[in-house]
């Protein structure tokens, strides 16, 4: 029997985006080749699993969010025990020496959201993100530039700002405590309003603020998120477009 390549998947199963990646990787493995998959349930910010440092495998596909995992992935650190180990990062949070990365096409994402809102007839626009989160800042710049090129200046809400200790999940948790600030900001904006949120978590927070403070959705504020988190979209009231 031909030897199977041993591939570790350090991709979160706690979020819709990670689960989508895992489904794609499973489809590739079934279609293209003899892989033995090593994977256990994890969240986005979890550190490297203890077994990884002495694991005798052929490849690692990771979403490197934690500092410990980012420090472990470079080829120079892995070469002591497996010089031909292949590593790919699917988070692209930092440039990791010797490790290629694959990331979301944020330009396509932000422009698609802006076009959708324009096609729905909105003339007032807003963006709500997590300031300092790389994906949120990039999507904000693209969304704003796309609309500015068409003579429209969207409003922007970026609180809470990231600190050196923050990661994706901690920023999202902070945002849950800022619903009143979001509602106050929304109340000052012209309606009807088309709003893009940086991801589905942020979009759900916007919807919660609207529901809590009496802002009609979608009549006054229409919200679109990113990541197609099916569970989050269905739990939101009304159900979230993503």
């Amino acid at each position: 029997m031909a030897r199977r390549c041993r591939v570790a998947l350090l991709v979160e199963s706690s979020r819709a985006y990670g689960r989508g990646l895992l489904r794609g990787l499973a489809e590739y493995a079934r279609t293209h080749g003899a892989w033995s998959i090593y994977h256990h349930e994890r969240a986005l910010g979890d550190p490297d699993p203890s077994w990884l440092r002495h694991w005798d495998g052929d490849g690692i596909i990771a979403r490197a969010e934690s500092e410990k995992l980012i420090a472990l992935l470079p080829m120079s650190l892995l070469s002591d025990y497996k010089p031909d180990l292949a590593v790919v990062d699917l988070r692209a949070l930092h440039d990791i020496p010797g490790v290629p990365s694959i990331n979301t096409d944020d330009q396509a994402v932000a422009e698609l959201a802006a076009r959708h809102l324009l096609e729905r007839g909105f003339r007032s626009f807003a963006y709500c993100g997590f300031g300092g989160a790389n994906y949120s800042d990039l999507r904000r710049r693209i969304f704003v530039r796309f609309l500015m090129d068409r003579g429209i200046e969207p409003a922007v809400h970026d609180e809470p700002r990231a600190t050196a200790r923050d990661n994706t999940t901690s920023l999202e948790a902070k945002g849950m405590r800022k619903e009143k600030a979001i509602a106050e900001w929304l109340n000052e904006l012209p309606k009807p309003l088309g709003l893009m949120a940086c991801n589905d978590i942020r979009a759900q927070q916007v919807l919660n603020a609207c529901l809590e403070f009496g802002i009609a959705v979608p009549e006054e504020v229409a919200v679109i998120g990113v990541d197609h988190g099916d569970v989050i979209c269905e739990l939101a009231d009304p159900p979230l477009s993503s």
Side-chain angles (χ1 to χ4, degrees):
M1 182 180 295
R3 178 184 176 281
R4 286 178 171 264
C5 291
R6 306 175 70 180
V7 181
L9 305 182
L10 306 183
V11 177
E12 77 276 8
S13 50
S14 61
R15 306 172 74 95
Y17 186 85
R19 292 191 295 272
L21 292 173
L22 291 170
R23 283 192 291 269
L25 289 162
E27 182 178 349
Y28 180 90
R30 285 194 301 271
T31 304
H32 293 283
W35 283 10
S36 290
I37 299 294
Y38 293 75
H39 175 264
H40 71 276
E41 289 190 6
R42 56 185 286 113
L44 180 59
D46 285 354
D48 61 289
S50 57
W51 54 262
L52 184 64
R53 293 175 182 273
H54 305 288
W55 174 66
D56 184 22
D58 300 288
I60 298 172
I61 299 175
R63 285 253 289 161
E65 172 101 359
S66 76
E67 292 183 3
K68 289 184 178 180
L69 185 54
I70 289 170
L72 179 67
L73 287 183
M75 295 292 191
S76 59
L77 297 180
L78 297 166
S79 60
D80 292 342
Y81 66 93
K82 190 68 178 178
D84 57 349
L85 186 70
V87 183
V88 176
D89 172 34
L90 302 183
R91 177 65 177 88
L93 182 60
H94 298 288
D95 290 329
I96 307 175
V99 176
S101 62
I102 300 172
N103 199 8
T104 303
D105 186 343
D106 288 307
Q107 180 160 343
V109 167
E111 290 186 359
L112 180 64
R115 285 195 180 95
H116 174 72
L117 293 171
L118 282 168
E119 289 168 358
R120 296 299 299 271
F122 290 97
R123 293 297 175 262
S124 297
F125 297 84
Y127 181 89
C128 189
F130 298 116
N134 67 327
Y135 65 93
S136 177
D137 291 347
L138 181 56
R139 290 169 188 173
R140 182 198 69 230
R141 289 195 297 270
I142 296 166
F143 182 80
V144 169
R145 184 177 64 241
F146 183 87
L147 291 171
M148 291 285 285
D149 288 345
R150 287 152 180 80
I152 303 167
E153 184 174 359
V156 173
H157 185 83
D158 267 340
E159 295 268 330
R161 300 294 302 178
T163 68
R165 294 185 177 182
D166 280 321
N167 56 30
T168 298
T169 51
S170 66
L171 276 174
E172 291 169 349
K174 284 183 179 180
M176 293 180 69
R177 303 192 295 268
K178 301 288 187 177
E179 290 180 0
K180 183 178 180 181
I182 292 173
E184 290 173 348
W185 169 68
L186 288 172
N187 275 325
E188 295 176 355
L189 300 179
K191 314 289 189 307
L193 180 72
L195 182 146
M196 176 186 178
C198 65
N199 65 8
D200 290 338
I201 297 289
R202 196 56 161 159
Q204 185 185 39
Q205 292 169 2
V206 171
L207 290 176
N208 286 343
C210 291
L211 185 65
E212 195 73 19
F213 294 93
I215 301 171
V217 178
E219 293 81 5
E220 292 183 275
V221 178
V223 181
I224 185 166
V226 181
D227 287 341
H228 195 56
D230 50 350
V231 174
I232 294 175
C233 291
E234 289 302 317
L235 287 173
D237 185 17
L240 174 66
S241 298
S242 180

